[in-house]
């Protein structure tokens, strides 16, 4: 599988990926809004095919919540040619789901558990379901980066080596998550779904 060393070196355009019904970003960036309501139908995978598989210029996937896990499933099972333009991904709060999404969460738990074919970073709060998030990051071959402003929060990580150039380039897009990262925990959208992390 290709990984960080195989990522395109040209500047990559961010593309937002969210699930339908999730809060949107006020940004002119291109986006893919996944219809996960009938998950077994695979419509969401066709949406990712359409939005990513035919791209020539490199892109960085910027995903939030349940969309992170859908993207991971798609990337793990797609032909290599479908992900050739993806230089990396930033996944924010991949264990977070709304109450009405729990059926999709259950379906995702049976998904593949492979290393992703591109560099990726998982962003998550250091206090919420951190062990499950770290395990998920390990399965994907991602680096976990803790977010939040809690002074007493630990700094969990699944990697001890310094950030590489591809990871630093991915983190340059972290500002796109400001609407989520600046939301106080008591007002955060959705709740972490604990239990065995999906692949």
């Amino acid at each position: 599988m290709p990984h960080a060393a195989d990522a395109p070196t040209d500047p990559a355009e961010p593309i937002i990926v969210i699930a339908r019904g999730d809060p949107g970003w006020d940004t002119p960036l291109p986006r893919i809004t996944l219809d996960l309501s009938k998950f077994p139908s695979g419509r969401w995978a066709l949406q990712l095919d359409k939005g990513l598989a035919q791209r020539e210029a490199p892109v960085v996937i910027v995903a939030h919540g349940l969309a992170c896990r859908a993207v991971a499933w798609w990337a793990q099972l797609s032909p290599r040619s479908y992900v050739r333009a993806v230089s990396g991904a930033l996944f924010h709060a991949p264990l977070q789901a709304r109450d009405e999404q729990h059926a999709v969460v259950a379906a995702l738990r049976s998904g593949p558990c492979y290393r992703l074919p591109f560099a990726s970073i998982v962003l998550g709060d250091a206090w919420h379901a951190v062990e499950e998030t770290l395990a998920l990051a390990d399965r994907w071959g991602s680096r976990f980066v803790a977010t939040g402003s809690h002074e007493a929060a630990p700094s969990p990580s699944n990697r001890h080596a310094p950030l590489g150039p591809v990871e630093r380039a991915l983190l340059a897009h972290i500002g796109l998550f400001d609407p989520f990262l600046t939301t106080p925990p008591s007002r955060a959208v959705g709740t972490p779904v604990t239990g065995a992390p999906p692949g």
Side-chain angles (χ1 to χ4, degrees), residues 30-124:
R31 75 179 63 202
I32 301 171
T33 302
L34 301 178
D35 180 4
L36 300 175
S37 60
K38 297 180 180 179
F39 185 81
S41 73
R43 173 178 168 77
W44 57 275
L46 295 176
Q47 291 177 288
L48 289 169
D49 287 347
K50 182 178 179 180
L52 296 170
Q54 302 304 316
R55 285 183 172 264
E56 296 296 334
V59 297
V60 169
I61 296 171
V62 179
H64 168 75
L66 208 56
C68 302
R69 292 149 79 176
V71 167
W73 184 315
W74 171 83
Q76 291 168 12
L77 295 184
S78 292
R80 181 170 178 169
S81 62
Y82 281 34
V83 299
R84 69 186 184 281
V86 180
S87 64
L90 274 176
F91 297 123
H92 177 252
L95 293 180
Q96 193 174 81
R98 305 191 313 274
D99 288 343
E100 65 269 24
Q101 293 176 321
H102 283 202
V104 179
V105 171
L108 283 166
R109 286 201 178 109
S110 64
C113 303
Y114 311 129
R115 186 181 180 90
L116 296 179
F118 42 73
S120 57
I121 290 177
V122 170
L123 303 169

Side-chain angles (χ1 to χ4, degrees), residues 103-167:
V104 179
V105 171
L108 283 166
R109 286 201 178 109
S110 64
C113 303
Y114 311 129
R115 186 181 180 90
L116 296 179
F118 42 73
S120 57
I121 290 177
V122 170
L123 303 169
D125 194 294
W127 288 109
H128 296 290
V130 66
E131 293 301 325
E132 288 94 341
T133 306
L134 284 168
L136 184 59
D138 279 338
R139 290 186 177 199
W140 290 350
S142 308
R143 182 188 287 262
F144 175 79
V145 174
T147 61
S149 58
H150 307 292
E151 292 182 2
S155 297
S157 178
N158 61 341
R159 301 284 186 275
H160 299 292
L163 289 169
V166 173
E167 292 171 322

